[in-house]
């Protein structure tokens, strides 16, 4: 697996099939889709930054790359995608085999272009806090403290706004610092953008334009009117803190048999319209802090009557959900509005009850927003995660609104004509259509070889509906396009791309070796944190094989981890979009077909079955995926399931694997920290276990260790080794939690304690209440789930039939 990690460290790409099935039938037979998991803004310390515009193919618009064939004498390059012959422009006149531009160096398959001719003014990042006040006073206090700390961490030039909501929506005019001033809107009534502008006196001093769309200071609004509601952090700190200090629980009385009147949808709609009018196309984030279910407005998830329960998975399966479809339709419309404006919706849901994440999923995911779910605004998961959003340093998120990103390491080009290339840049940028700072939204595009089409993307993006010959008739996720818009990303955000091999069978399946390469090019436009436009280009080449002798070649390029995560994203997507879909049956059928095709066995002899080391761990991944929270929705609310899937759909392969199959580390007196099998047999009385399941980190003490700890032996000087044993898993868990978002929940528990369930639920149940007794000092799991050994035995029997 190391070679696949090396490929990821070079280009940010993991593919299940690194040797690709070469025909449509072959790609169907291999079961796991031809796909790629790509991290668009992954940081590469040695990635070249090129201070000039890219050179494009005049036919397919792909970018000059190391896989192009170059004729140095004729000054011509041949595009590997469409085979078009292109002439180099005059400023490449001195190009030769010894004098190459960086984009032709074989090791630079990922490069980044700067746009030096763009000196347009840039809008600073914008943060609009939308705060729920229908919570108890203690929660208000936690929120007040958290938001105050967040504002202190913001850059001084960041624009800040505040909306609070309960029964009514309050838009706070922070620019009027003499006395607190707010504009109040009824929570049960949807407010249009035109009504909002009129009622908030945006045209009191400057008349409304007779025609055109009102959009920011350049199109109809005065800077003075915008600064009433969005102020630089350095100027509004006093006014904002004054409002927060006076913040109180929603004052409207709530009868004992009813829920609070919480108008979440109205508040988010007003926030979107306000940003759309004031700062369209800017790096703006709506940060919503929600403490309970929406009961008022155009998208309430439940009525105010406590006698009506909030929808469950069973209600969704039966379609017995009176509010759900209307709510999803509303937030689908809101997501389109936010994507059009280039703005991000972040959701911090902190409540014991459901708040409506299942309905809000579309709006958060398509805008690339962050999501955090916990039970209280005082919980460390919320407080530490919110700090991570704004902190800078080694463990920052590398957060990007409209793909805002930190500067990569500069690179000096070994190319002699850069001295006078600047004169060509402005013209070249205009011809090649790089986005300008006045239109800074992020765009992701794909180019492929002619025998490959794009089915779609599962991940945090929205389709730009750019129809092209690259689009497949089969649509998965955001499909039917070859370009997507991304309003917000961080440095680990990853997109899962699905491809369709359309090449038909040929009489001579073993064609000439010169034509057995498929090419992919991923193009990402974004704006960095200093407002400069950047254009990242990743170009890949993968060998394809076809015919009877191709199985060993396919196995040699199989990435088990990437394949497991592609299957996890696909099964989650199917569960949400296909009625009557049986995920367990689908996964089992896929695994049986894969093992039948690539396993070695004698018919009707299960003991003869074996898998190549390249495939041997894949059944284990599928076993844990079947038991994971992505597939097993029992005992999870729709909100929790939506939350887990949203995180899965945006994380890279390494983090996603931990969600599907958690890692387990064992600590004991006999040896240092060492990986342990994810099995109940790993539990021993004299061991400490550290479980990392991404969302939760568990430190589990065996019964003997727990007794010694309670006796205080670790505090005595002669037992320093024991103190070190107790401290080691805490040090390791701190490292895990520092670099992860959302910050995981830390559970410290003892064997036979109530919270040991967090560990036991993830372990393979090789010892249960109806099997033989466990080892002395070990444990058993009270479950009827089959163990991995039984699962594998059944798999072998079915494969060899």
């Amino acid at each position: 697996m190391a070679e696949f990690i090396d490929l990821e460290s070079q280009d940010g790409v993991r593919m299940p099939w690194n040797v690709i099935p070469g025909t449509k039938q072959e790609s169907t037979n291999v079961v796991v889709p031809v796909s790629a998991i790509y991290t668009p803004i992954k940081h590469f310390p040695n990635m070249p930054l090129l201070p000039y515009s890219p050179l494009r193919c005049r036919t397919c618009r792909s970018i000059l790359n190391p896989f192009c064939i170059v004729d140095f004498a004729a000054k011509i390059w041949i595009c590997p995608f469409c085979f078009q012959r292109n002439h180099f422009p005059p400023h490449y006149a001195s190009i030769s085999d010894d004098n190459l531009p960086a984009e032709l160096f074989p090791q630079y398959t990922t490069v980044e272009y700067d746009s030096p001719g763009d000196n347009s003014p840039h809008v600073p990042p914008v943060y609009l806090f939308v705060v729920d006040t229908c919570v108890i006073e203690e929660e208000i206090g936690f929120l007040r403290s958290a938001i105050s700390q967040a504002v202190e961490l913001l850059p001084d030039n960041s624009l800040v706004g505040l909306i609070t909501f309960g029964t009514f929506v309050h838009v706070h005019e922070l620019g009027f610092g003499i006395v607190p001033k707010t504009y109040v809107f009824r929570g049960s009534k949807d407010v249009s953008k035109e009504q909002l502008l009129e009622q908030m006196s945006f045209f009191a001093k400057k008349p409304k334009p007779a025609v055109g769309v009102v959009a920011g200071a350049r199109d109809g609004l005065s800077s003075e009117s915008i600064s009433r509601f969005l102020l630089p952090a350095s100027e509004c700190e006093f006014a904002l803190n004054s409002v927060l200090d006076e913040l109180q629980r929603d004052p409207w009385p709530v009868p004992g048999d009813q829920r609070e009147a919480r108008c979440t949808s109205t508040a988010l709609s007003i926030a979107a319209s306000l940003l759309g009018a004031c700062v369209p196309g800017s790096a703006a984030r709506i940060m919503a802090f929600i403490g309970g279910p929406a009961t008022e407005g155009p998208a309430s998830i439940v009525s105010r009557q406590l006698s009506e329960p909030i929808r469950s998975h069973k209600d969704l399966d039966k379609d017995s959900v009176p509010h759900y479809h209307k709510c999803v339709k509303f937030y689908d419309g809101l997501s389109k509005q936010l994507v059009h404006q280039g703005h991000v919706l972040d959701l911090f849901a902190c409540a014991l009850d459901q708040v409506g994440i299942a309905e809000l999923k579309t709006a958060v995911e398509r805008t690339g927003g962050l999501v955090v779910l916990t039970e209280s605004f005082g919980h460390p998961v919320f407080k530490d995660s919110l700090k991570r959003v704004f902190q800078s340093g080694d463990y920052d998120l590398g957060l990007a609104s409209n793909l805002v990103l930190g500067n990569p390491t500069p690179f000096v080009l070994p190319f002699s004509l850069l001295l006078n290339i600047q004169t060509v840049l402005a013209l070249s940028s205009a011809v090649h259509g790089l986005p300008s700072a006045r239109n800074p939204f992020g765009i992701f595009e794909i180019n492929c070889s002619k025998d490959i089409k794009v089915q779609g993307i599962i991940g945090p993006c929205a389709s730009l509906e750019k129809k092209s010959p690259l689009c497949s008739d089969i649509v998965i996720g955001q499909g039917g396009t070859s370009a997507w818009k991304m309003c917000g990303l961080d440095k680990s955000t990853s997109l899962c791309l699905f491809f369709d091999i359309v090449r038909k069978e040929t009489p001579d399946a073993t064609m000439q070796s010169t034509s057995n390469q498929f090419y992919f090019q991923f193009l990402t436009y974004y704006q960095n944190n200093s407002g400069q436009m950047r254009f990242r280009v990743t170009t890949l080449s993968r060998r394809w094989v076809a015919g009877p002798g191709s199985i060993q070649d396919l196995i040699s390029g199989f990435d088990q981890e990437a394949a497991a995560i592609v299957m996890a994203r696909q099964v989650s997507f199917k569960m949400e979009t296909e009625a009557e879909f049986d995920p367990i049956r689908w996964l089992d059928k896929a695994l049986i077909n894969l093992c039948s095709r690539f396993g070695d066995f004698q018919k009707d002899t299960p003991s003869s079955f074996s898998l190549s080391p390249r495939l041997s761990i894949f059944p284990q991944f599928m076993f844990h995926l079947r038991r994971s929270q992505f597939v097993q929705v029992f005992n999870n609310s729709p909100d929790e399931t939506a939350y887990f899937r949203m995180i899965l759909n945006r994380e890279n392969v390494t983090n996603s694997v931990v969600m599907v199959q958690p890692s387990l580390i064992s600590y004991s007196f006999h040896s240092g920290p060492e990986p342990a099998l994810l099995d109940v047999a790993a539990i021993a009385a004299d061991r400490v276990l550290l479980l990392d399941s991404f969302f939760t980190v568990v430190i589990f003490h065996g019964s003997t260790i727990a007794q010694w700890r309670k006796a205080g032996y670790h505090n005595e000087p002669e037992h320093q080794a024991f103190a070190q044993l107790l401290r080691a898993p805490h040090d390791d868990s701190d490292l895990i939690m520092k670099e992860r978002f959302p910050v995981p929940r830390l559970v410290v528990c003892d064997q036979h304690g109530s919270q040991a369930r967090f560990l036991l639920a993830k372990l393979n149940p090789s010892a249960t209440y109806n099997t033989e007794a466990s080892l002395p000092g070990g444990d058993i799991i009270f479950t009827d789930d089959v163990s991995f050994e039984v699962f594998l035995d059944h798999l072998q029997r079915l494969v060899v039939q």
Side-chain angles (χ1 to χ4, degrees):
M1 207 121 16
E3 68 266 38
F4 305 129
I5 295 172
D6 290 342
L7 287 172
E8 184 181 25
S9 66
Q10 180 178 343
D11 294 313
V13 177
R14 294 281 289 271
M15 299 182 75
W17 301 107
N18 290 279
V19 177
I20 296 177
T23 65
K24 190 172 186 66
Q25 186 58 49
E26 290 271 355
S27 67
T28 304
N29 293 343
V30 297
V31 183
V32 177
V34 177
S35 49
I37 297 178
Y38 178 53
T39 309
I41 59 172
K42 182 180 175 70
H43 177 64
F44 301 113
N46 299 318
M47 180 179 62
L49 174 62
L50 313 183
Y52 53 88
S53 296
L55 205 56
R56 286 184 179 266
C57 171
R58 64 183 181 183
T59 301
C60 69
R61 311 294 293 158
S62 61
I63 307 298
L64 181 66
N65 61 79
F67 303 106
C68 295
I69 299 170
V70 179
D71 183 340
F72 295 108
K75 299 294 184 285
I76 285 173
W77 60 279
I78 301 173
C79 173
F81 296 96
C82 67
F83 308 111
Q84 172 67 45
R85 296 167 67 86
N86 300 276
H87 289 276
F88 283 104
H91 55 275
Y92 279 77
S94 67
I95 189 171
S96 70
D97 206 2
D98 301 322
N99 187 30
L100 291 175
E103 62 264 40
L104 288 178
F105 276 42
Q107 67 269 36
Y108 293 140
T109 46
T110 294
V111 298
E112 200 158 90
Y113 292 90
D114 195 4
S115 184
D118 188 1
N119 298 314
S120 308
H122 306 291
V123 179
V126 182
Y127 298 92
L128 180 55
F129 297 101
V130 180
V131 180
D132 179 4
T133 59
C134 288
V135 291
I136 60 174
E137 287 293 342
E138 185 182 27
E139 292 291 291
I140 292 280
F142 292 141
L143 258 177
R144 186 185 296 129
S145 172
I147 294 174
S148 296
Q149 288 181 11
V151 173
E152 288 175 8
L153 294 172
L154 290 176
D156 287 344
N157 68 332
S158 301
L159 300 181
V160 179
L162 178 65
I163 293 175
T164 57
F165 70 94
T167 308
F168 293 85
V169 180
H170 300 257
V171 183
H172 295 266
E173 188 175 325
L174 301 177
F176 193 79
I178 304 168
V179 293
K181 185 176 180 182
T182 62
Y183 291 82
V184 182
F185 297 88
R186 185 182 295 275
S188 57
K189 184 180 177 183
D190 197 11
V191 182
S192 69
K193 181 179 173 182
E194 290 70 26
Q195 291 172 324
L196 185 79
L197 293 171
E198 196 67 41
Q199 294 178 29
M200 293 172 67
S201 308
F202 272 97
F203 304 112
K205 296 182 179 180
K206 182 179 180 180
K208 182 179 179 180
V211 293
V213 178
V214 176
R218 291 190 297 114
D219 296 304
L221 293 185
S222 65
S223 299
E224 183 184 351
S225 61
I226 294 172
S227 63
R228 290 159 52 211
F229 303 99
L230 298 174
L231 233 64
S234 57
E235 297 178 23
C236 74
E237 191 171 350
F238 176 76
L240 183 62
N241 285 331
S242 299
V243 173
L244 291 174
D245 289 342
E246 298 296 324
L247 199 62
Q248 295 180 346
R249 185 182 180 182
D250 189 61
W252 297 92
V254 181
D257 60 345
Q258 292 186 6
R259 298 179 175 90
E260 295 91 345
R262 181 181 283 106
C263 57
T264 307
S265 55
T266 309
L268 293 178
S269 177
I270 288 174
S273 296
L274 181 63
L275 290 181
C278 295
V279 283
S282 66
R285 308 185 79 95
I286 298 172
M287 309 195 80
F289 302 87
I290 303 176
T295 56
E296 285 279 346
S300 56
I301 69 164
V302 69
S303 72
R304 291 194 63 188
Q305 298 299 322
L306 284 170
S307 56
E308 180 189 327
I310 299 181
R311 78 279 179 281
S312 64
H313 278 295
K314 185 178 283 188
D315 296 326
L316 291 171
D317 291 340
K318 292 179 177 177
D319 203 20
S320 176
V321 278
H323 307 278
Y324 181 78
H325 297 294
K326 180 185 175 185
C327 211
V328 168
K329 184 178 179 181
F330 174 86
Y331 286 119
D332 189 51
L334 183 68
S335 73
K336 290 176 181 175
Q337 179 185 347
L338 288 170
V339 168
H340 177 71
Q341 295 170 185
H343 297 155
V344 181
L345 173 60
D346 297 325
L347 182 60
F348 297 86
C350 301
L352 291 168
D353 214 341
Q354 297 185 69
V355 305
I357 295 178
E359 289 83 355
L360 274 158
K361 181 176 184 289
T362 305
V364 176
E365 199 163 51
R366 289 188 187 167
T367 61
L370 305 172
V371 59
V372 175
L373 175 65
T374 186
E375 59 262 29
S376 166
F377 290 112
H379 198 286
V381 169
F382 165 73
K383 294 194 290 187
D384 295 343
S385 296
L386 186 63
K387 286 179 190 172
R388 284 288 312 282
V389 174
F390 300 105
Q391 78 176 20
S392 58
D394 293 339
Y395 299 107
D396 64 350
L397 291 184
L399 203 60
S401 291
N402 291 331
L403 296 189
V404 179
L405 173 70
N407 285 313
T409 306
F411 180 80
V412 179
L413 282 174
F415 194 36
S416 59
L417 282 181
L418 285 183
L419 292 175
N420 59 357
I421 202 170
Q422 298 293 333
T423 55
V424 187
L425 292 180
L427 175 62
S428 181
S429 181
V431 170
H432 298 311
L434 284 176
S436 68
R438 293 186 180 278
N439 195 24
F441 54 80
I443 294 178
F444 177 72
E445 290 188 76
I446 298 177
N447 284 323
C448 307
S449 295
K450 63 182 179 65
D451 289 324
I452 299 178
K453 293 188 183 295
V454 181
Q455 294 178 337
I457 290 180
I458 296 179
C461 62
S463 168
L464 280 176
E465 298 181 5
K466 179 188 175 184
K467 304 295 181 185
S468 79
L470 291 175
C471 301
S472 170
D473 295 333
I474 302 168
V475 174
I476 297 178
Q478 296 287 302
T481 180
S482 60
W484 294 261
K485 186 171 181 178
M486 298 180 293
C487 304
L489 287 178
D490 59 57
K491 62 188 177 184
S492 68
T493 300
S494 303
L495 306 174
C496 186
L497 301 85
F498 291 85
F499 301 104
D500 187 11
I501 307 299
V502 296
R503 181 174 167 274
K504 304 294 185 185
E505 296 283 355
T506 58
D508 180 13
T510 56
M511 294 178 65
Q512 297 178 5
S513 60
T514 53
S515 61
N516 70 340
Q517 296 288 324
F518 282 150
Y519 297 99
F520 306 85
Q521 193 169 72
F522 306 143
L523 314 174
T524 309
Y525 305 85
Y526 68 93
Q527 184 184 25
N528 71 7
N529 60 358
S530 59
Q532 297 166 318
M533 298 311 302
R534 291 286 166 82
F535 180 35
R536 183 176 293 198
V537 179
T538 296
T539 312
L540 309 173
S541 172
R542 294 290 186 270
R543 182 166 62 95
W544 63 260
V545 293
S550 63
I551 285 184
Q552 288 306 315
D553 288 326
L554 290 170
I555 290 174
S556 69
F558 187 67
D559 183 346
Q560 302 176 80
E561 291 185 346
I565 302 314
V566 167
M567 296 296 279
R569 288 206 193 193
Q570 193 173 14
V571 76
S572 297
F573 175 73
K574 283 178 172 289
M575 289 180 74
E576 292 177 346
T577 57
E578 295 183 16
E580 305 299 325
F581 176 70
D582 186 343
I584 298 293
R585 185 179 179 86
W586 185 82
L587 287 171
D588 287 350
K589 186 178 178 181
L591 181 59
I592 292 166
N593 290 340
L594 186 82
C595 292
S596 298
R597 179 158 177 78
F598 296 105
D600 294 322
F601 57 88
Q602 297 173 3
K603 190 168 175 59
D604 297 325
T605 312
S607 61
S608 67
F609 176 79
S610 67
L611 280 173
S612 160
R614 294 280 190 176
L615 288 150
S616 58
I617 307 175
F618 189 71
Q620 189 174 313
F621 284 138
M622 290 298 99
F623 171 75
H624 288 290
L625 177 58
R626 293 165 88 257
R627 303 180 74 227
S628 71
Q629 64 269 42
F630 308 114
V631 175
Q632 299 291 346
V633 298
F634 177 76
N635 209 31
N636 282 330
S637 68
D639 271 17
E640 288 171 312
T641 300
Y643 170 67
F644 295 139
R645 289 175 179 167
M646 288 164 78
I647 301 296
L648 173 72
N649 286 347
R650 66 178 291 123
E651 281 299 331
N652 58 30
V653 171
T654 304
N655 286 340
S656 299
V657 165
V658 174
M659 299 181 209
V660 172
Q661 180 176 303
S663 67
L664 189 66
I665 300 174
S666 170
Y667 302 80
S668 68
F669 288 113
H670 313 298
S671 63
E674 58 184 7
L677 286 175
L678 195 64
D679 192 291
V680 67
I683 295 176
D686 60 347
R687 278 188 190 172
V688 181
L689 297 176
L690 174 64
L691 178 88
D692 177 14
S693 65
F694 189 87
F695 301 101
T696 308
V697 173
V698 182
I699 298 174
F700 176 93
H701 301 105
S703 54
T704 303
I705 299 288
Q707 289 171 3
W708 292 348
R709 189 196 72 238
K710 290 172 184 175
Y713 291 160
H714 58 291
N715 296 321
E716 298 176 7
E718 62 268 28
H719 294 302
Q720 286 303 304
F722 180 55
Q724 177 59 34
L725 178 67
L726 291 180
R727 189 162 56 245
H730 283 273
D731 293 342
D732 290 344
S733 68
D734 287 345
L735 289 174
I736 292 170
M737 296 171 73
K738 275 180 183 176
E739 60 186 22
R740 183 164 297 166
F741 185 91
V743 174
R745 177 193 303 265
L746 178 64
V747 177
V748 181
C749 60
D750 299 332
Q751 188 176 358
H752 310 305
S754 64
Q755 290 199 307
R757 67 186 188 277
F758 285 99
L759 172 70
L760 297 177
K762 297 294 183 182
L763 299 180
N764 171 37
S766 59
T768 67
Y769 67 94
N770 57 7
T771 61
E772 296 179 9
S774 63
L775 296 170
D779 215 331
I780 61 171
I781 297 177
F782 290 89
T783 181
D784 289 322
D785 285 355
V786 299
S787 67
F788 178 61
E789 292 75 16
V790 174
F791 173 79
L792 203 57
D793 183 54
H794 281 268
L795 173 64
Q796 291 172 348
R797 291 182 188 179
L798 290 166
V799 167
V800 301
Q801 285 178 0

